[in-house]
Amino acid sequence: MVISHAIHLDIHVPLPSDDCLMTQTLRANELLRSFSRIQNVSTPNDENDVPAPLEQVDLFSLHTPHITLFLADFDLELDHNHIIGEDELGQLNTTKVDSFLETISTINFTNVIHGLECKLSLSTESFIGLDNLNHDDKYYTINGAFTMLIVQNSPCLKKLSDTILHTVESFVKRPVIVPSWVASLPEPQRSAAIYRSRKYGSPNVFKGFLPHLTVGFDPPTVTNAAVSHHHSLRVEQTSRQWREDAMKQWNEGFKLVKDRCSSKVKGIAVGKNSLGGTVLANSRMKFWSVGGHEEQIVIRE
């Protein structure tokens, strides 16, 4: 079998495990998971119903809280010059991986952000220009299947994202597959996102860089032809409602601590991407400290 592969990797800022921002991120995910279970129990099903979706993100055991700096498909797996068997599918090319990580290691992250305040905090700024109903006290957004906390887009995060992109752009797998969610954007954002995807490997770079913390991902339930369109709409509306209910409760609690709830960029890591833009726990390939901070080992029950 002759085949060419790529691996979806997320270069990101992992949240420090011992501060308020991590606590609030976990709290948001915990509420979403709790509300999704409650609505499944409390909503009666008829014979044509399919189960309502449960919250897919688990920041306590399966996924890592993080702020993405650059997410793309990288050409790091066995290439088309290598004849591979079924048991080798998805295996990494160690030479390519070593080169990729060594290239990132050439970046002196401390020097890159010298003179910049690298504070991490949440914001109420409208996200992707779609949340037109966002209010001054709303620190989250729900866009389609994604539930996210809005991170303040600081010059520090922007500089880190731009630097990483320029450094690893040559490793991006081409041709680039444009993420499906881009199709739901209004114009001119959609065309701009498609252009950035095809040119740089990701729509979320440069003017499209919008830092966030993913706390929920709830794609529509796959239905069969026997399930009515009306029912599908009802499931989507129900999903949106319990997510809003969960996040409104989170938001009210966060407002009580918002003035003293922030963090700092302490390092950069690279890990494997999973559903909804998450990063798989225990998939970290390397960590680079920023400002002399040591890597933290996060253990959550």
Side-chain angles (χ1 to χ4, degrees), residues 10 57 59 63-64 66 214 217 272-280:
D10 192 307
V57 176
L59 296 180
H63 308 114
T64 299
H66 71 285
T214 298
F217 179 66
K272 293 183 180 180
N273 176 250
S274 184
L275 56 84
T278 57
V279 171
L280 286 173

Side-chain angles (χ1 to χ4, degrees), residues 56-90:
Q56 299 294 298
V57 176
D58 181 357
L59 296 180
F60 291 86
S61 60
L62 299 180
H63 308 114
T64 299
H66 71 285
I67 300 169
T68 296
L69 297 172
F70 185 52
L71 168 64
D73 280 319
F74 293 98
D75 185 11
L76 301 178
E77 296 188 1
L78 296 175
D79 58 35
H80 63 277
N81 293 321
H82 183 81
I83 306 300
I84 63 177
E86 293 294 335
D87 59 337
E88 291 182 295
L89 285 173

